[in-house]
Amino acid sequence: MATKGKEMPLESALAPAADRVAHLNARYRNHAAQAVLERALGDAQVGRVALVSSFGAESVVLLHMLSVIDRSTPVLFIDTRMLFEETLTYQADVAATLGLTDVRTIRARPEALAAHDPDGVLHRSDTDACCALRKVEPLERALAHFDAWITGRKRFQGGRRAVLDFFENEDDRRIKVNPLAHWRPEDVQDYIVNNRLPRHPLVARGFPSIGCAPCTSRVAAGENPRAGRWRDQDKDECGIHFVNGRAVRGPQPAPQEEPEMNVIVTDRGFAPDDWTQGFHRPETLGEATGNGVLALDLPSDADPCDLADHLGRVTMIRVDFPSFADGRGFTLARRLRLMGFKGRLRARGHVIADQYAMARRAGFDEIEIAPDLARRQPEAQWRRRSAWQAHDYQSRLRGLA
Ligand code: SF4
């Protein structure tokens, strides 16, 4: 058993971080986020590990996973003394709700603040120096006790994060673990909704990414969620994510490749996704304005009766299929059609070609599948099912085939 987050001497010297990172990425390449986190907490090659959390907009996902696996794992919270009051309240609430027993608040030394930023205005003239003083140095001190730390960074956040792996070599000194590297924004929202987790109150007020109050602004619809961080400055990281011991600056490395789009399957075969509007979750539908272009993302266990008052203004509904063995989405589609929903109905997720006819009979117009499923089940396989009505004896009886 590994030493996990406890600050105990390792039983044996660890191999160089680069070797361990290569090994860990190969070993856990096909694991899901929660499994990566669980293994990272127990794998001797990772060593002593802590979660570093800002208790920001999406932090609750990893904190919840951690609380399920081992709530005594150290959690390092950097209080720059420049945070929103809402963040401090949220931090205390989340830690109590999840029962986290080892949250450590990390702050700059008072003498360092007195020497370099006595009036608390350094951020106005030099954000790099301010971050170094209030975040980088305190965290570096705290991490001296650990061999690895867990972050909530994700590829979709773009910039230097677009090529993240689960495990990273931090300057040959430590390993960074990024269990959510491959998650999409919808995955984060689904996890929060499905686990009924408390949201940071500023999210609803237009802050999808939350840092220090002086350096975080509201984000407009359509902007990158991190656009409100150090707005109008050549800065997109606080400096706690290093390359060769320094905060990374300058041109961003290009992603290795364009992210692949999901594939839409229709009776005519494969097509790219032509739906350019965003999707609402059911709980935000009441806030949505406008008619005729609203789109809705539904979990497979949604109750369509909850949507009865809104269906007339919804153009598109996308139903999630977490597993091909989960048939609830078909029932949901059938009920939506019986309730009179005439808009576009899409099944998204783990639907396989053999289920195409069933999906069409249930009322779906199309299916959205991930690129890797499209590779495993190429277009020809789906097209063999495209004449689905010919195989539907009920349709033949009704003269529809
Ligand atoms: S985010 Fe702004 S206020 Fe916070 S430490 Fe960095 S520069 Fe200072």
Side-chain angles (χ1 to χ4, degrees):
M1 187 66 184
T3 51
K4 209 162 46 180
K6 315 305 182 286
E7 297 165 61
M8 297 158 50
L10 292 172
E11 289 165 8
S12 61
L14 291 170
D19 296 345
R20 287 182 286 131
V21 162
H23 189 98
L24 290 163
N25 276 323
R27 184 187 298 169
Y28 299 123
R29 187 179 53 221
N30 297 318
H31 284 57
Q34 190 141 358
V36 169
L37 179 60
E38 188 162 3
R39 301 300 189 284
L41 293 174
D43 194 311
Q45 292 209 1
V46 176
R48 303 163 299 177
V49 62
L51 171 66
V52 176
S53 180
S54 65
F55 287 77
E58 297 174 344
S59 304
V60 74
V61 170
L62 270 183
L63 291 164
H64 178 260
M65 287 183 183
L66 194 74
S67 73
V68 171
I69 299 167
D70 183 352
R71 61 186 56 184
S72 70
T73 304
V75 175
L76 309 183
F77 168 59
I78 309 173
D79 177 6
T80 61
R81 300 182 189 275
M82 292 283 178
L83 298 174
F84 291 94
E85 274 304 315
E86 289 88 341
T87 298
L88 299 176
T89 306
Y90 181 68
Q91 184 273 316
D93 290 348
V94 168
T97 301
L98 299 180
L100 302 170
T101 60
D102 191 5
V103 178
R104 308 177 189 186
T105 300
I106 310 300
R107 296 192 180 99
R109 288 196 177 103
E111 57 271 27
L113 288 175
H116 301 292
D117 192 13
D119 303 320
V121 294
L122 183 57
H123 62 87
R124 294 184 197 160
S125 57
D126 190 342
T127 50
D128 279 352
C130 184
C131 281
L133 174 68
R134 294 175 180 273
K135 293 184 177 178
V136 178
E137 193 282 331
L139 181 62
E140 189 62 22
R141 241 185 311 121
L143 286 176
H145 304 289
F146 297 96
D147 304 300
W149 53 300
I150 300 157
T151 89
R153 293 175 304 150
K154 307 157 198 84
R155 287 188 171 198
F156 78 73
Q157 292 169 324
R160 301 172 184 97
R161 304 181 178 197
V163 293
L164 275 182
D165 275 325
F166 284 138
F167 297 89
E168 285 180 277
N169 175 10
E170 187 184 47
D171 202 19
D172 290 329
R173 295 177 304 154
R174 273 185 300 263
I175 290 176
K176 278 199 282 197
V177 188
N178 310 303
L180 306 182
H182 300 281
W183 275 31
R184 299 165 300 171
E186 312 90 271
D187 298 321
V188 175
Q189 297 312 316
D190 285 352
Y191 189 94
I192 293 174
V193 169
N194 292 338
N195 290 286
R196 295 180 171 80
L197 299 177
R199 291 174 186 271
H200 194 300
L202 292 181
V203 173
R205 285 152 56 186
F207 295 85
S209 177
I210 302 160
C212 294
C215 300
T216 306
S217 56
R218 278 197 176 79
V219 168
E223 277 191 302
N224 183 305
R226 286 180 61 81
R229 306 290 294 276
W230 304 283
R231 189 178 283 282
D232 301 326
Q233 293 189 44
D234 175 27
K235 180 176 174 74
D236 61 6
E237 296 279 7
C238 59
I240 64 174
H241 301 294
F242 298 99
V243 167
N244 295 327
R246 294 195 308 276
V248 186
R249 304 304 302 270
Q252 299 181 2
Q256 286 167 332
E257 56 189 31
E258 285 290 310
E260 291 183 275
M261 289 179 67
N262 283 348
V263 171
I264 307 302
V265 188
T266 70
D267 290 357
R268 297 174 302 286
F270 281 6
D273 193 351
D274 65 349
W275 185 263
T276 56
Q277 310 290 328
F279 285 83
H280 288 271
R281 304 289 307 172
E283 64 273 15
T284 65
L285 194 53
E287 303 157 18
T289 57
N291 285 301
V293 291
L294 284 179
L296 199 54
D297 250 339
L298 292 183
S300 56
D301 62 355
D303 184 352
C305 297
D306 295 340
L307 305 168
D309 294 340
H310 299 287
L311 281 183
R313 64 192 187 110
V314 173
T315 299
M316 156 80 102
I317 292 179
R318 187 167 64 170
V319 176
D320 194 44
F321 277 73
S323 146
F324 77 89
D326 183 343
R328 291 174 298 178
F330 299 119
T331 308
L332 176 55
R334 172 69 73 188
R335 292 182 65 192
L336 286 166
R337 290 304 190 200
L338 288 172
M339 288 171 65
F341 178 65
K342 296 202 170 20
R344 194 165 158 186
L345 199 49
R346 176 186 291 183
R348 178 186 63 153
H350 203 172
V351 181
I352 59 176
D354 280 338
Q355 294 172 307
Y356 186 76
M358 192 189 315
R360 294 288 281 122
R361 283 198 296 272
F364 285 110
D365 298 298
E366 60 203 29
I367 296 173
E368 178 180 338
I369 57 173
D372 62 338
L373 178 55
R375 276 189 287 275
R376 280 184 278 127
Q377 297 209 314
E379 187 172 16
Q381 280 192 35
W382 293 86
R383 290 202 71 131
R384 280 199 284 277
R385 280 84 174 175
S386 63
W388 57 277
Q389 287 179 319
H391 306 289
D392 179 1
Y393 78 95
Q394 288 187 338
S395 294
R396 287 207 301 275
L397 287 176
R398 294 200 303 270
L400 297 173

